[in-house]
Amino acid sequence: MGTNVIAVVGGGAAGLAAAVAAAEAGARTARAAGAAVPRVVVYEADERVGRSILATGNGRCNFSNADPDPALYRNAAHAAATLAAFEERARAERAAALGAGADAAWPGAANGVQAFFADRGLAWREESEGRLYPLPNKATAVLDVLRAAAAAAGAEECCGTAVTAVEPARRAGGPLTLRMADGRLERADAVVVSAGGAVARALVPDAVPLREPEPTLGPIATETRLVRQLDNIRVRGALALWRGGAPAAREAGEVMFRKYGVSGIAAFNLSRMARPGDELAVDFLPAVGEDAAAAFLRERARALAATLGAAPTCEDALRGLVLAPVAHVLLEAAGLRGDRVLDGPAADALAPVLKGLRLKVEGLGDVRQCQVRRGGVEVGAVDAATGACRAVPGLYVAGEALDVDAPCGGYNLHWAWASGLLAGWSAADAVVGAPARGEERGRR
Ligand SMILES: Cc1cc2nc3c(=O)[nH]c(=O)nc-3n(C[C@H](O)[C@H](O)[C@H](O)COP(=O)(O)OP(=O)(O)OC[C@H]3O[C@@H](n4cnc5c(N)ncnc54)[C@H](O)[C@@H]3O)c2cc1C
């Protein structure tokens, strides 16, 4: 006799999604089969679920992206397979729940994540680069919708309860054991591990390979001689990452200088690949092409000469184009004095630093600002189509606990929802049985 319990370890983004999916699908399938409805319990170490969601997007929660391109994810092949399996399952679940045809279009929703939230009442709007934010502009709106859906489906929240280890079943078909920090033991027929990026080695059984998580998607530390003069200055520019004398990646967007290096979304995204020894090139003039920058400065000097009534200096030419501390740093990097007349050779010296101020990368900056951790359960250990751990029957992994991460833009939460929902549905299959679902599919 099983426990008829599905346990979710971690009530963050992936865990709450998994709980909704497991409770809704588990109840529907069990009722259709005249079987007992499984209990779904979310064990959360914190005093409340979803605190991690409230911190996202500066409190506004960039909960998804209009184009969740799988190629953007680390371990892209695994992410693509999971996102594809999720989309297929999301359609089937929606059809089963609403009685609509499986191929019915989702009103106002472009994919399964959007349909999931739209069906549960969340309204949103799209901002630049496809970023989706809840219409009320607060992360609480997303959490409220999730918690209401979980409660309506009968999922239970068990907060202030850290799980220290999930142990495999002692016999085939038997329950898994959850060891709690307070010494308690709980049993469950299926367990979804959604403990986030800092998932501990001890939490998952030894048979599940895990890469020690390390922070990424954060500020970059660089040599500080120039940047310390620019602390807290923001520019709309672009950053290029150079490795071995060749450009390796480029990100346009806001660049924020810090005493220790460079922050802002462009730096965060490049931090996913930057290594000590690489170089960052800050482009202060992304609208002007590399080859056209010197001519742009000469033309600017000609125009200014007419107004000033004299040949402009380098300082004159930079005034109004960049902030004064930036001008100072650019002149220092170009080896020019500010009072030097901006003639042809001066324009030729200034153009390259304006288009690519070089800073040597030393590593990550303030790791407390990193938005994700790279590492966790290795994707090869998990079936991409279900989220199931191959080596431990009944165990599923979702969200950042898996070694999948992505740039800023709503992609990390998109992954958390999609992989969480898929794991929740799969866990329900394992506990109440998938045959009824197969018949449902067969009937369509
Ligand atoms: C400041 C910040 C801003 C961000 N902004 C965005 C954004 O706007 N858009 C975006 O897409 N991504 C954003 N991210 C990334 C995003 O928050 C994560 O990728 C996402 O929350 C991962 O979901 P998850 O459920 O896997 O982990 P989490 O949301 O971190 O949830 C894990 C949960 O498990 C609990 N837990 C951990 N260990 C245990 C245990 N042993 N027992 C019980 N419970 C446990 C934790 O307390 C937590 O509640 C941001 C991250 C940060 C830090």
Side-chain angles (χ1 to χ4, degrees):
M1 226 347 235
T3 60
N4 209 25
V5 171
I6 299 169
V8 176
V9 180
L16 289 173
V20 174
E24 287 181 352
R28 192 171 54 247
T29 312
R31 284 191 187 113
V37 171
R39 266 183 80 206
V40 176
V41 187
V42 180
Y43 293 103
E44 168 55 52
D46 202 349
E47 290 307 315
R48 56 190 288 198
V49 296
R51 209 192 286 267
S52 54
I53 298 169
L54 299 181
T56 60
N58 284 327
R60 297 199 303 132
C61 187
N62 173 200
F63 76 97
S64 183
N65 191 282
D67 179 17
D69 180 359
L72 292 171
Y73 290 88
R74 169 175 165 80
N75 286 319
H78 183 91
T82 294
L83 292 176
F86 160 73
E87 289 298 331
E88 191 184 328
R89 183 69 189 257
R91 280 177 187 277
E93 285 299 325
R94 189 166 191 270
L98 304 181
D103 296 326
W106 289 321
N111 57 47
V113 166
Q114 292 185 16
F116 171 79
F117 280 109
D119 284 344
R120 286 155 189 83
L122 188 73
W124 63 83
R125 71 159 175 278
E126 186 176 327
E127 296 192 4
S128 62
E129 290 155 354
R131 291 158 194 265
L132 305 183
Y133 290 89
L135 203 57
N137 220 17
K138 282 272 184 208
T140 42
V142 177
L143 181 54
D144 288 349
V145 162
L146 275 170
R147 288 191 67 205
E156 302 164 36
E157 291 178 3
C158 189
C159 294
T161 309
V163 179
T164 53
V166 179
E167 296 169 2
R170 299 211 179 101
R171 56 180 168 79
L176 295 92
T177 301
L178 290 94
R179 203 169 276 280
M180 309 301 181
D182 61 9
R184 244 179 335 129
L185 298 180
E186 297 286 351
R187 312 230 187 260
D189 291 333
V191 178
V192 178
V193 169
S194 47
V199 56
R201 169 67 271 183
L203 184 61
V204 290
D206 291 344
V208 179
L210 182 140
R211 220 181 123 213
E212 203 49 51
E214 53 187 64
T216 187
L217 203 62
I220 299 176
T222 66
E223 61 180 318
T224 55
R225 187 176 61 87
L226 296 172
V227 290
R228 69 171 168 240
Q229 304 172 50
L230 302 178
D231 191 25
N232 273 328
I233 286 181
R234 295 164 190 264
V235 297
R236 290 300 299 182
L239 283 179
L241 186 73
W242 285 68
R243 180 167 299 159
R250 184 179 164 88
E251 283 282 334
E254 186 178 85
V255 178
M256 183 172 179
F257 291 96
R258 305 312 311 256
K259 275 198 271 298
Y260 56 78
V262 187
S263 187
I265 287 174
F268 273 44
N269 286 344
L270 289 182
S271 76
R272 298 178 67 238
M273 52 206 113
R275 302 198 293 242
D278 291 346
E279 275 190 310
L280 275 185
V282 188
D283 184 348
F284 292 89
L285 211 55
V288 176
E290 197 89 40
D291 300 339
F296 167 85
L297 285 171
R298 278 194 289 271
E299 181 48 40
R300 196 170 157 81
R302 255 192 301 279
L304 278 173
T307 344
L308 297 176
T313 63
C314 292
E315 227 164 37
D316 291 333
L318 289 173
R319 190 178 306 115
L321 184 65
V322 293
L323 293 178
V326 174
H328 181 81
V329 161
L330 292 178
L331 290 168
E332 188 180 332
L336 295 169
R337 286 172 50 123
D339 58 4
R340 174 191 164 137
V341 167
L342 189 89
D343 53 12
D348 288 343
L350 200 48
V353 291
L354 195 55
K355 285 296 296 171
L357 178 71
R358 293 298 181 108
L359 304 167
K360 239 200 181 47
V361 172
E362 291 184 345
L364 268 178
D366 184 356
V367 293
R368 288 166 310 176
Q369 288 186 41
C370 287
Q371 294 201 348
V372 296
R373 297 206 190 204
R374 170 160 296 170
V377 172
E378 289 183 15
V379 294
V382 169
D383 175 10
T386 59
C389 279
R390 295 182 212 285
V392 183
L395 184 65
Y396 300 80
V397 187
E400 228 187 289
L402 264 166
D403 189 7
V404 172
D405 63 78
C408 297
Y411 306 104
N412 284 300
L413 279 172
H414 185 91
W415 167 255
W417 315 127
S419 61
L421 289 166
L422 188 63
W425 288 322
S426 306
D429 288 351
V431 174
V432 293
R437 206 176 305 285
E439 285 162 25
E440 250 167 43
R441 282 206 188 101
R443 277 204 297 272
R444 280 196 300 271

